[in-house]
Amino acid sequence: IQHIWFDFHAECSGGKWDRLSILLKSVSSALDSQGYFSAVPRYNNHDDDEKQDWNILSLQNGVIRTNCMDCLDRTNVVQSVFGRYVLYRQLHERIGKRQRDLQHQQK
């Protein structure tokens, strides 16, 4: 378990939102190493759509917890920064995989 101290009020006062990059830089390796859960539907020939099978592409092996002592809005801002970072990573990996699949199909 790793604890990272970040004084949101001191770092970001006066609208200096770009200072959140300091925090993101300090946790990005942890976010990268814990991964994320990803699954895609496996196509079947059954008429029963309720029994859909899934291919699990990746598993998540950690969580990140954010706590602001006096302001839920600050907690949400920080979580949204982390969420956008991971979402970008997911989309980047999926788009890259999709492009490789299309190239393979064209051969």
Side-chain angles (χ1 to χ4, degrees), residues 9-28:
H9 185 69
E11 293 288 342
C12 299
S13 66
K16 295 183 278 187
W17 301 109
D18 60 314
R19 306 283 292 163
L20 287 167
S21 64
I22 297 167
L23 177 60
L24 183 58
K25 186 175 182 177
S26 68
V27 301
S28 61

Side-chain angles (χ1 to χ4, degrees), residues 28-75:
S28 61
S29 63
L31 289 172
D32 291 341
S33 68
Q34 76 183 19
Y36 57 86
F37 178 81
S38 177
V40 294
R42 186 180 303 160
Y43 298 103
N44 57 34
N45 296 329
H46 301 38
D47 291 333
D48 187 6
D49 290 334
E50 292 186 26
K51 291 191 174 191
Q52 181 69 49
D53 290 329
W54 292 85
N55 283 330
I56 297 175
L57 303 177
S58 63
L59 296 174
Q60 179 174 328
N61 63 12
V63 297
I64 191 162
R65 182 178 186 276
T66 305
N67 185 45
C68 179
M69 296 178 358
D70 63 351
C71 184
L72 185 57
D73 288 341
R74 292 182 202 145
T75 299

